[in-house]
Amino acid sequence: MEPRTITIFDTTLRDGEQSPGASLTIPQKIEIAHQLEVLGVDVIEAGFPVSSAGDFEAVKEVSAVATKTTVAGLARSLEKDITVAGEAVSAAVHPRIHVFCATSEIHLKHKLKRAHQEIVKLSVDAVRLARSIVDDVEFSPEDASRTKPEFLREVVQAVIEAGATTVNIPDTVGYATPEHFYQIIADLIANVPNISQAVISVHCHNDLGLAVANSLAAVRAGAGQVECTINGLGERAGNCSLEEIVMALKVRPDHYGVRTNVDTRQIYKTSRMVSTLTGLQVQRNKAIVGANAFAHEAGIHQHGVLAEASTYEIMRPEDVGVPKTALVLGKHSGRHAFAQRIADLGYTLSDDQLTEAVAHLKALADKKKEIFREDIEAVVEDLLEVTTRHWSLESMQISSGSKVIPTATVSLCNAAGDLIQDAGTGDGPVDAVYSTVARITGVSAKLTEYSIRAITGGKEAQGEVYIKLRYQDRSYRGRAFSTDIIEASALAYLQAINRIITANGNESAPPAGL
Ligand code: KIV
Ligand code: ZN
């Protein structure tokens, strides 16, 4: 018997973007949407169009560029939401409107303040309106896992009658456990008479760390669509992670007997892209895409893997697109070797970008013996970041020690090519650099986050600095790396300053020296 195909509904650009700290620009969303198509997801939920002009535009632009994937826009069960979502997805080859309405007692009583029959009517009217705009309508009874089973059945039956083509069962607050969630899906399949007329979908949050397990249980019970995000991003503790659910289904066909359309070799690249563009790092021991996911530390494991990989590996790194390290790259490596490794990592660069990337890597190879995969990824992803460079770092000199006042002399180049130099002091060397850069650029923003980590091993490790600046009620990220952590700090700060200037125009940056 042919295995069932599970529809993979990616909501990185909607629920994923609701992760604290993850906001994406429209060009970044387009870049991710392109990659999601290459990855082979079936549905991209591109945003919540009525929520902001930016979300509307993002859903509209993703709809215009997606060539084969269904594009969904989220809407509450309100006329305005639904018409706006319909407009936003209208250019899609396969448009979908995703309508939701809460159904649990808690939400009815405290949030919606509505009676049960009003909820059924709202939901049915919403689905009918959405169906008058598009043929593909998904309905979600929000907080389904805390909804009374008999009321959930009633709503599901009613929205299918009204024309919902997919009914999505969300575990909105991550309350379900696998046995419980299996039961919810099995109950709907057994007891809703028209259930076969719609695809049953699931949308699990990870508050108890069970989002993937709950989604797998739902697949076992008969669900046909799983909603998930790259790197498990999403509201609070996140959503079901796409890479984990897809690989679990792939590695265990004996148990689940299903398949997906995902090209798993694109997983690693997609994960890196989403991590870079959202600024949310992937934890080292994260399943499938973490830096340690395929690293064997114990001698006995290393020995086993060398003898026969399947002794300790249930999947091969290359199955998820983690390239095998071939030759060692260093300062004697030529352009061709760097270009080959960049291509092996899945990046497609223009000739100019390639030249710039190789120049950066060769400069880096002069500072450290060996160039690792993470070095290449950091350089290339930095290059691919869509940030206008209003200011760039020309040079800097720091004087610091236990008995001197930390002082920084910084020289920056503006967009017109003028070099501006200034010096300043601070509580430490980074503070001295930051106050000097703020004075030169004229952008005074509050530093709200600063973190540093080593991205490659050893004494000459590259340090990655991640910062957040608060400027006029908005946060701006900056991320940079260097073997010199003060330089990485300065570059990250400048990147955030450049973002502020791009977003606010020059009013944020009076001419230097004022
Ligand atoms: O978690 C949730 O309930 C949602 C719905 C809008 C599907 O994100
Ligand atoms: Zn959600």
Side-chain angles (χ1 to χ4, degrees):
M1 205 175 70
E2 277 291 294
R4 279 194 301 140
T5 298
I6 301 296
T7 300
I8 296 296
F9 176 115
D10 181 278
T11 182
T12 308
L13 299 181
R14 199 277 297 171
D15 214 324
E17 210 212 6
Q18 288 172 221
S19 299
S23 66
L24 293 162
T25 62
I26 295 176
Q28 288 172 332
K29 286 192 177 184
I30 304 290
E31 202 179 330
I32 292 174
H34 273 305
Q35 180 57 24
L36 289 172
E37 280 215 302
V38 175
L39 178 67
V41 307
D42 304 287
V43 186
I44 297 173
E45 184 164 55
F48 187 179
V50 87
S51 68
S52 70
D55 250 43
F56 177 82
E57 207 43 47
V59 177
K60 206 169 158 194
E61 292 197 25
V62 170
S63 299
V65 297
T67 57
K68 54 179 197 259
T69 315
T70 297
V71 179
L74 185 67
R76 287 168 300 180
S77 291
L78 300 173
E79 191 180 330
K80 170 109 190 292
D81 282 39
I82 297 167
T83 47
V84 170
E87 206 186 315
V89 296
S90 60
V93 182
H94 303 291
R96 175 180 292 190
I97 299 178
H98 176 189
V99 191
F100 71 100
C101 183
T103 50
S104 67
E105 297 301 299
I106 300 178
H107 280 236
L108 261 60
K109 187 167 165 212
H110 300 289
K111 188 177 89 173
L112 299 177
K113 302 188 185 359
R114 302 250 189 179
H116 291 84
Q117 287 320 303
E118 287 179 275
I119 295 296
V120 177
K121 184 168 176 350
L122 260 180
S123 307
V124 163
D125 289 348
V127 169
R128 286 210 183 108
L129 175 59
R131 270 305 295 262
S132 70
I133 303 170
V134 291
D135 288 339
D136 186 351
V137 172
E138 173 168 329
F139 178 82
S140 292
E142 191 190 7
D143 205 14
S145 53
R146 293 192 301 169
T147 297
K148 283 187 179 157
E150 56 279 18
F151 187 53
L152 187 60
R153 284 183 221 128
E154 182 184 342
V155 172
V156 168
Q157 180 171 348
V159 294
I160 295 175
E161 259 163 35
T165 43
T166 297
V167 177
N168 177 46
I169 306 301
D171 180 24
T172 303
V173 290
Y175 171 73
T177 59
E179 295 76 13
H180 171 207
F181 208 55
Y182 179 98
Q183 196 49 47
I184 292 174
I185 304 302
D187 178 72
L188 291 172
I189 292 176
N191 297 313
V192 174
N194 57 1
I195 197 78
S196 61
Q197 291 166 33
V199 173
I200 307 181
S201 167
V202 289
H203 175 110
C204 297
H205 278 271
N206 206 29
D207 299 67
L208 292 174
L210 292 171
V212 175
N214 290 338
S215 306
L216 286 171
V219 168
R220 278 281 273 179
Q225 173 177 287
V226 173
E227 302 199 354
C228 44
T229 56
I230 302 296
N231 299 338
L233 295 184
E235 189 78 45
R236 304 180 310 278
N239 287 66
C240 170
S241 132
L242 180 146
E243 56 278 9
E244 292 177 25
I245 184 96
V246 165
M247 288 314 289
L249 295 177
K250 185 176 165 116
V251 169
R252 297 302 307 272
D254 55 324
H255 196 66
Y256 295 99
V258 298
R259 62 176 294 282
T260 71
N261 291 321
V262 170
D263 176 355
T264 61
R265 291 162 308 174
Q266 292 291 333
I267 283 179
Y268 184 71
K269 179 178 178 189
T270 316
S271 162
R272 292 293 313 173
M273 177 186 283
V274 169
S275 163
T276 306
L277 296 181
T278 57
L280 295 180
Q281 288 163 10
V282 173
Q283 79 197 50
R284 286 193 82 80
N285 63 334
K286 162 91 173 61
I288 317 293
V289 290
N292 292 353
F294 294 95
H296 300 276
E297 182 73 19
I300 189 165
H301 287 204
Q302 290 175 350
H303 181 76
V305 167
L306 286 176
E308 165 54 46
S310 63
T311 50
Y312 285 101
E313 273 182 6
I314 56 165
M315 58 202 147
R316 295 170 311 161
E318 51 275 34
D319 293 340
V320 297
V322 174
K324 274 216 164 107
T325 308
L327 18 144
V328 173
L329 293 174
K331 67 175 173 188
H332 301 299
S333 309
R335 177 185 159 100
H336 183 73
F338 282 114
Q340 186 59 48
R341 186 66 60 80
I342 288 169
D344 289 348
L345 284 168
Y347 297 106
T348 315
L349 300 186
S350 67
D351 273 355
D352 286 350
Q353 284 171 330
L354 189 62
T355 305
E356 200 177 334
V358 172
H360 276 288
L361 289 167
K362 280 185 152 282
L364 188 61
D366 277 336
K367 294 191 203 161
K368 65 199 295 279
K369 260 204 257 44
E370 214 176 300
I371 299 293
F372 297 100
R373 188 183 78 218
E374 291 89 342
D375 292 318
I376 298 177
E377 287 169 348
V379 166
V380 173
E381 284 168 9
D382 197 43
L383 196 76
L384 292 176
E385 274 244 31
V386 212
T387 316
T388 312
R389 289 190 194 161
H390 303 281
W391 291 96
S392 51
L393 180 68
E394 187 61 24
S395 65
M396 61 179 209
Q397 209 182 345
I398 313 294
S399 126
S400 161
S402 55
K403 291 211 171 93
V404 288
I405 295 173
T407 308
T409 306
V410 180
S411 178
L412 299 184
C413 184
N414 67 16
D418 309 318
L419 277 185
I420 322 273
Q421 197 177 59
D422 203 348
T425 57
D427 290 340
V430 173
D431 190 42
V433 171
Y434 284 7
S435 59
T436 311
V437 169
R439 219 181 19 246
I440 297 178
T441 59
V443 181
S444 162
K446 188 170 161 32
L447 180 70
T448 54
E449 220 177 297
Y450 176 93
S451 67
I452 185 159
R453 67 172 186 139
I455 51 171
T456 48
K459 282 206 306 291
E460 316 126 317
Q462 288 213 80
E464 180 187 61
V465 172
Y466 176 79
I467 64 148
K468 262 196 192 156
L469 296 182
R470 190 104 193 130
Y471 182 84
Q472 291 179 355
D473 288 338
R474 273 193 64 192
S475 278
Y476 296 84
R477 288 180 286 114
R479 173 184 160 276
F481 57 91
S482 166
T483 49
D484 174 341
I485 56 168
I486 310 289
E487 184 178 80
S489 304
L491 291 170
Y493 192 78
L494 268 178
Q495 193 182 66
I497 295 267
N498 283 331
R499 287 200 162 116
I500 292 175
I501 299 175
T502 300
N504 296 280
N506 276 335
E507 91 244 24
S508 57
L514 293 184

